[in-house]
Amino acid sequence: MLDWILAGVVVLICAALASAGLRFGRKQKRRQAAALSKGETPVLQQLDVPARVYVDRTLLGGPVAGKINHLDTDILLTEGRLVVATHQGRLLEVLPGKDGSVRCTGPGRLVIEGMRPSAKEDILVRVEALVPTADQWAARAKELLGTRTSAVPTRPKMG
């Protein structure tokens, strides 16, 4: 009987270590995807943000179209771009003069929409993140990038 208990404890410890390793690996991939160029400094930065991600076309190895994809994200705003990264890579990058919107839809709710260029076609991405200073993010993005505070009009609203 003691052997079974010991075996169960060993299995639980191994499962906990494997889970911690996967979480650490995902966090490292997310940090790497959000890395900025030399000389670029974030004006605003929010790490480990829980977000719902919607896409209008499924990304290979990434978010699936027609589903609510719950992902942890890193969001960075610099003088020249806004970056949203997940463990699957750089999901969205909003640049000045490009179609994109960053808006606050309620206390702590930041909605970022834009086109993710891919090899074959553009993919519309919508990220709904829980950021305590969402109103500040929307104002700074409009000021620095000229983003709209209304939805991207090119395709129907998702979610």
Side-chain angles (χ1 to χ4, degrees):
M1 181 67 170
L2 190 56
D3 292 340
W4 283 101
I5 293 172
L6 183 59
V9 168
V10 168
V11 168
L12 287 175
I13 290 172
C14 288
L17 288 174
S19 175
L22 287 172
R23 275 196 314 272
F24 178 76
R26 284 181 168 204
K27 186 175 189 174
Q28 290 303 105
K29 286 181 182 178
R30 196 170 59 243
R31 295 289 185 276
Q32 188 176 17
L36 300 173
S37 304
K38 289 190 181 214
E40 243 184 332
T41 56
V43 174
L44 292 172
Q45 173 178 318
Q46 193 75 39
L47 305 175
D48 300 321
V49 178
R52 292 186 299 195
V53 176
Y54 303 91
V55 291
D56 66 343
R57 291 183 184 86
T58 299
L59 293 168
L60 183 62
V64 178
K67 281 183 61 179
I68 299 173
N69 300 276
H70 295 276
L71 300 171
D72 287 334
T73 60
D74 288 351
I75 306 172
L76 293 94
L77 176 66
T78 69
E79 302 253 344
R81 62 185 167 158
L82 183 136
V83 174
V84 179
T86 70
H87 69 278
Q88 296 154 333
R90 191 166 285 180
L91 182 64
L92 181 61
E93 189 170 15
V94 178
L95 301 168
K98 293 276 187 173
D99 256 356
S101 73
V102 180
R103 60 193 189 281
C104 174
T105 60
R109 286 197 53 166
L110 182 68
V111 175
I112 305 165
E113 287 184 322
M115 301 302 285
R116 180 179 197 266
S118 69
K120 295 182 180 178
E121 58 192 331
D122 289 342
I123 298 170
L124 181 60
V125 179
R126 176 185 170 104
V127 177
E128 297 177 356
L130 298 175
V131 179
T133 56
D135 53 344
Q136 181 183 3
W137 276 83
R140 292 292 285 170
K142 182 174 181 168
E143 173 189 326
L144 295 172
L145 305 176
T147 59
R148 289 190 303 275
T149 54
S150 59
V152 177
T154 54
R155 299 214 183 122
K157 187 175 174 184
M158 298 179 298

